[in-house]
Amino acid sequence: MKKFCSIIFLFLAINTFAQDSTYTRNVVNTLTSKVFWGRGYTKDGMRKAADYIADAYQKMGLLPMGTNYKQNFSFPVNTFPSKMMVAINGQKLIPGKDFIINNESPGIKLKANLNQIDSLNYQAGPTLTVLLKDKLTWSVATEVGEKTIIQVNKKYFTTIPKEISVDIENKFIPDFQAANVCALVKGTKFPDSILIITAHYDHLGGMGADTYFPGANDNAAGVATLLSLARYYAANPQPYSIGFICFAGEEAGLLGSGYFVENPLVPLGKIKFLLNLDLVGTGDAGMTVVNASVYPKAFAQLNAVNDEYHYISKINPRGKAANSDHYFFTEKGVPAFFIYTQGGPSAYHDVFDKPETLPLNKYNNLFKLIVGFNKKQME
């Protein structure tokens, strides 16, 4: 009878927290707001996001993983804090929608004729190139190149680009200050055995003074799911300790997770399994698990939970890949999965990755699947 009551309590606890989609949606809306400016490198966006997460940990009663919630580190980054003007054939273009600047570009102020190289490439002297693209995709650079490259959405052009006027400012920061945000719920029986849930909270930041990249699916959704799980585990401590790490610098090359594994706040050998959440705001078309073939037993356990409760329509296995923050942990011998969902909006690394178009329709089921998988790791 006691065991039965425990099972009922666990079921009710999981569903109570899993059904709290309002909290998760509010976190996504907050992190993607203008205040956080794309959680990047201008207007103090990344620091504000780190403070928000640390405050959430504290309110939940989580323990700091180190001396405090933040693990500070720094790296170089090329930023675009203010001027971002491009006009072609006398027509001003809208940053983010009509054009982006390649992330490693230096600033430039120029008015010149464009020489056509081919149907998609144009040049204005040795320092400026214009590329016509079907899809504008931005990223983060840790160095400055020698040439300014502007990518233009070609669907906005029905005439040949002949002249360009450009005024763009860049600012290279050699030691941008960032922080991983790390917390822990101590285990009730085996506190030295740790399960870790991770998600990167940084995104692309802003491109100029008026344009920022919200990053709803990438990766406000991952952070929101992590914080929702943190709330659950804070209220329901487990036999193992459960750790939570929100990484900075992922978009600049997995820099935060790379720093953590070289300067771990918990012994890596004590981590029994790590789940990395990135791009988890959809799910109509199922989900993919990176490292499924590396850890077939754990993948079978994940599928067993899913087969029993039918949480996700399809779980696709994938092999080893250096495509998110799980990677350096795996390289150090820590068992890890990287989970991402599929279906829904196709916006990625652009200004259209917004909260209002992010469905979060499989959040509840993903939440329960993760809790069920973690339970199996503690059996």
Side-chain angles (χ1 to χ4, degrees):
M1 183 67 180
K2 185 177 180 182
K3 184 177 181 182
F4 175 76
C5 290
S6 296
I7 292 171
I8 292 295
F9 175 79
L10 180 63
F11 175 81
L12 291 174
I14 290 173
N15 278 275
T16 298
F17 280 85
Q19 295 304 320
D20 191 8
S21 301
T22 302
Y23 174 80
T24 307
R25 175 61 71 181
N26 286 341
V27 172
V28 170
N29 290 344
T30 300
L31 289 174
T32 55
S33 68
K34 187 179 287 189
V35 171
F36 294 90
W37 204 249
R39 306 183 302 282
Y41 306 92
T42 57
K43 301 194 181 185
D44 216 15
M46 196 182 300
R47 184 197 61 78
K48 290 175 182 176
D51 287 348
Y52 172 84
I53 295 164
D55 184 61
Y57 285 163
Q58 186 174 38
K59 287 177 179 176
M60 294 173 198
L62 273 63
L63 300 172
M65 196 174 283
T67 54
N68 55 57
Y69 292 116
K70 292 184 179 180
Q71 182 189 40
N72 298 310
F73 66 104
S74 65
F75 55 93
V77 65
N78 191 33
T79 73
F80 301 91
S82 58
K83 294 177 182 177
M84 187 60 58
M85 192 283 294
V86 174
I88 296 180
N89 296 349
Q91 177 187 350
K92 271 196 175 183
L93 305 186
I94 301 171
K97 295 180 179 178
D98 298 344
F99 80 95
I100 60 169
I101 184 168
N102 276 28
N103 50 65
E104 74 280 1
S105 296
I108 188 171
K109 185 173 184 178
L110 178 72
K111 186 173 183 179
N113 292 326
L114 285 167
N115 299 313
Q116 186 170 4
I117 307 303
D118 57 38
S119 61
L120 299 177
N121 293 273
Y122 297 80
Q123 198 159 340
T127 59
L128 178 64
T129 297
V130 174
L131 308 177
L132 300 188
K133 293 280 190 177
D134 289 316
K135 165 77 167 70
L136 301 181
T137 303
W138 211 41
S139 192
V140 178
T142 56
E143 59 186 9
V144 182
E146 296 181 356
K147 179 184 287 191
T148 302
I149 301 173
I150 297 171
Q151 296 184 28
V152 175
N153 191 332
K154 69 179 186 181
K155 74 180 180 181
Y156 291 102
F157 268 91
T158 56
T159 60
I160 296 175
K162 292 182 178 180
E163 60 180 22
I164 187 168
S165 179
V166 56
D167 189 1
I168 291 172
E169 180 189 34
N170 83 305
K171 181 180 179 181
F172 181 72
I173 304 174
D175 57 348
F176 180 83
Q177 301 297 309
N180 298 323
V181 194
C182 317
L184 195 71
V185 176
K186 196 169 184 179
T188 57
K189 291 184 180 180
F190 310 104
D192 289 339
S193 295
I194 307 170
L195 300 176
I196 299 279
I197 299 167
T198 68
H200 76 88
Y201 71 92
D202 65 302
H203 192 51
L204 307 178
M207 193 183 79
D210 302 314
T211 299
Y212 76 98
F213 295 77
N217 196 30
D218 186 17
N219 187 34
V223 175
T225 304
L226 179 148
L227 290 178
S228 185
L229 287 161
R231 291 176 79 223
Y232 167 73
Y233 284 120
N236 302 278
Q238 300 295 299
Y240 286 13
S241 293
I242 313 290
F244 304 90
I245 308 173
C246 289
F247 291 115
E250 192 270 353
E251 302 290 12
L254 312 182
L255 300 182
S257 52
Y259 185 84
F260 186 96
V261 299
E262 296 301 328
N263 304 272
L265 299 179
V266 296
L268 298 182
K270 301 292 186 182
I271 302 174
K272 303 307 177 185
F273 212 93
L274 181 147
L275 292 176
N276 179 52
L277 307 176
D278 195 355
L279 303 165
V280 294
T282 62
D284 278 342
M287 74 182 209
T288 293
V289 176
V290 174
N291 276 353
S293 61
V294 181
Y295 304 104
K297 180 181 177 182
F299 186 63
Q301 291 172 324
L302 184 71
N303 274 287
V305 175
N306 195 56
D307 289 345
E308 183 174 357
Y309 297 102
H310 309 291
Y311 291 136
I312 305 295
S313 61
K314 184 180 180 183
I315 300 180
N316 305 299
R318 186 171 172 181
K320 181 178 176 179
N323 56 352
S324 194
D325 287 313
H326 67 287
Y327 176 71
F328 291 116
F329 287 91
T330 303
E331 292 296 282
K332 291 286 188 179
V334 176
F337 284 159
F338 161 31
I339 292 173
Y340 59 93
T341 56
Q342 280 127 350
S346 59
Y348 177 72
H349 276 220
D350 56 35
V351 294
F352 305 106
D353 185 10
K354 298 178 178 180
E356 54 265 35
T357 55
L358 188 70
L360 283 176
N361 52 336
K362 296 299 179 182
Y363 153 74
N364 288 334
N365 285 348
L366 180 62
F367 179 105
K368 289 184 253 188
L369 177 61
I370 290 169
V371 170
F373 175 78
N374 280 344
K375 186 173 183 296
K376 282 195 174 291
Q377 304 315 300
M378 294 181 280
E379 289 177 350

